[in-house]
Amino acid sequence: MMTKRSLAGTLVAVLLPALTACVHPWPPAARGGIAGQPAPTPEMAGVHAAVKNASAAGSLSPAEALAARERLDLAAREYRAGLAADADAGLLDVSLRLGGGDIATRTGRSTCLKAPCS
Amino acid sequence: MPESAMFLTGEHQMPFAMFIRLLAVLAMLAFALPAARAAENEIIRIGDTLSLILPGEDSLTGDFPVDRKGAIALPEIGPVRIAGMPLEEAAEMVRHRLSVAFRDVARLTMRLKERKLFVAVAGQVRKPGTLELPGDATVEVAIAEAGGINAGAQLDRLKLIRGDREIGFNYKQYLDTGDLSVLPKLQPLDIIFVPISPLTGNVHIDFDAETLSRAGDGADAGGSVRIFGEVQKPAQFAFKENMSIVDLIMRAGGVTRFAAVEQIRVITDKGPVLFNLQAYLDSGDPALMPPLEKGATIFVPILADQIKRGKHTVYIMGEVAKPGAFEAQKGTTFIDILANSGGPTRFAETRQIRIIRATGIVEMFDLVAFTEGKITDIPLVQPGDAILVPEKTETQEPSWTRLPPTRTVQVMGAVTKPGRYEWIDEMSLFDLIGHAGGPTAKGDLAAIQIVKRADGKAETVTFDMKAYLDNGGSEAAVPVIRAGYVIVVPELPVDPNDNKSLWVRQDADRSIYVMGAVGSPGRYAFDRSLGFLDILSAADGPTESADLRRIRVSLRGQTNAEPILVDLLRYMETGDERVLPRLEPGDMIYVPGHDRTWTEIATGDTVRVLGAVGKPGRYSFTTRMNILDLLAQAGGPTDAALQDRIVVVNMGKENKAFHFDLEAFTRTGDPSRLPVVRPGDTVYVPDKTQSHWARVMETVKDAAQIVALFAAVAAL
């Protein structure tokens, strides 16, 4: 009887740490995608159009337009990766480049140029 | 008695008709046989060309000229003299001579191909010398080839020199009659000598009719008249009755354009008489023309020799077509005198004409201003006045000492013709720079310095002529130049090496500094017309290691101004000029290199790569890159790397970590599995000791050791 109890205790002592190792917490799998392959989210479609119009009107220089498109591209990837706050910051940055138009974002942020920030 | 005569005696009994036929046959043989053999027995002469043919032997097949020594040059044998020998005999001798060196020479044939005549013509011909003539050339041909006979030749006593012999012949007789028998037949090396007539004396003169006529026909001084001075052909002519002075002038070819036709002097035993040809031609009055006498001398003086001096005389000197003295009637203007003098020459300085009054007062007159309507008053000239039309300054050597400083400006520096220039205040700075030949290629028109000197003081102002030329502007902005000023056009170095050597002379306020990863870092001359790319190009451009995305421009002139970050690659991608900063003198451009030490690279521009990679460290990163670029830059995962658990730590508004399965990506190629990596993030590549299985085994091992320890303690 004593032997059975000792054997059970030994198994518990060995398997418990092993189970503990199995639940070692790795971070979640990454998403996002490759740069240069834009997949704009619905809320970014308007900003893309605004960049295009501003570039055509000349109010946004070619270099600024390219930088804005790259930032929007990164924002889209950030959305997909779960970095919504960073993506929103990117959208706001682009908004500022466009002159401060209000932009609805996933986190509800908007520029502070036309309306005071709450 | 000749044989033929014997036939005519009729001693033999032969019919007369047969005799006549026999005689005809003999006569034909007598003429035909020598003619047929003539070509074979031609005597070889100097100048002949023989054609030799020996089948199978190229060196003995061709033309062989007989030289002046009468020999032909044979291969292997050398010269063989054959002149004077019959052709067949010469051929036989040549065969004999050649037989010592060649075989089968019996087949050698020789024929006369061409005959030339080497003669010389000397004496009174136009082109004396040796001639190479056709073989049948005559004396006349030889003389013609020598350019013909010169004037003064003694035509009836020409000589032909042949060796030691002289053969005289009368060429004049040939010319008179055309009888060729008068002329000796030419032979090789003959010399034709054309003597000169003893009438020509011992002094060489042209002995033609034109020259004789030009010299006049008055050999007898006692019966001649002489004319000299400003006539076309001064000469001595035989006096003829009823000859007039005008006749004599016409025989002398007329007067020249310089002749003083109002002052012709006729000198006779009775003394000199003045003849006014102009008045005679105007009136036709014969009383104005003095009679011409035997032995008279006519002198036509030159116009300039006249010295007019009178109470109405005005003088004009200098750069006019006909300087001299002119009559000035009442009301005569300066322009009248100038026009009479033929006007200013192209060397005249017409803005500085001086009128020197008889009283000694000097007045200036600007003819250019008058022609432009800026001056309407024409000065009157009075008898005794003198007009001086000076030469242009730039045509004088050296002239600068003749101009006082109060009438000049100095142009120095990078102009084509630096120097001291005469100045009038109505001219502008542009006139001056243009007159100095314009700026050189290195001339910096953007910083022209004008040193204003007046009252013992100097003040310097700088004028940006380039900006004025490029953009225009008010005329009032152009500095007014006065006599005595100094204008300096500085140099703008083109070559960086020049720039290095001249940096001491280069004002720091007109410089820009380029440092870092460029071909030639240094200080460069700069003005506002130059752009960012100009300066970068002047510094030989960025090197291969240059980090074009992070060029920095420090604005030295602005207090507390942050450096401007220039992304030159972005400019190259978009061509957007607004990416390039507008530079000011004094600014500094720094082009960093990719090989900077990690402390020089801002944290926000890099991604840290840790763990099981070839070269862990910090790496420059842009949002265009992805994790694969980064891993490749870091040398890739090592063999011990846990490739399915690469961890990316995003440092942003919210810090989050994700893991990236490189093995899965390499199997699927799904780009959506790539993590977002941005500058500032961290990538960690764990090794295999951190895998699940390794951790389990490690834990089990540890637990087993603990259990064993407890068991051992319990056993005790």
Side-chain angles (χ1 to χ4, degrees), chain A residues 4-41:
Chain A
K4 287 183 180 176
R5 290 180 60 186
S6 301
L7 184 61
T10 303
L11 286 173
V12 170
V14 172
L15 292 176
L16 193 62
L19 291 172
T20 306
C22 286
V23 298
H24 175 71
W26 286 101
R31 307 289 296 174
I34 196 167
Q37 295 180 353
T41 58

Side-chain angles (χ1 to χ4, degrees), chain B residues 128 271 361 427 439 518 560 610 672 681 690 693:
Chain B
I361 297 171
M427 310 293 277
V518 293
N560 299 328
L610 311 174
S672 67
D681 291 347
Q690 295 172 291
W693 180 247

Side-chain angles (χ1 to χ4, degrees), chain A residues 29-33 39-48 70-94 103-110, chain B residues 650 653-654 656 658 672 674-678:
Chain A
R31 307 289 296 174
T41 58
E43 63 267 41
M44 294 170 60
V47 187
H48 268 291
E70 287 180 355
R71 189 65 190 90
L72 291 177
D73 180 28
L74 177 62
R77 291 164 56 211
E78 286 171 336
Y79 274 136
R80 287 198 294 271
L83 301 168
D86 293 335
D88 288 348
L91 283 181
L92 291 173
D93 181 43
V94 174
I103 295 174
T105 65
R106 290 185 183 180
T107 57
R109 294 168 188 246
S110 62
Chain B
N650 291 123
K653 296 290 182 185
E654 44 192 339
K656 289 186 176 180
F658 301 93
S672 67
L674 292 173
V676 173
V677 181
R678 303 160 305 183

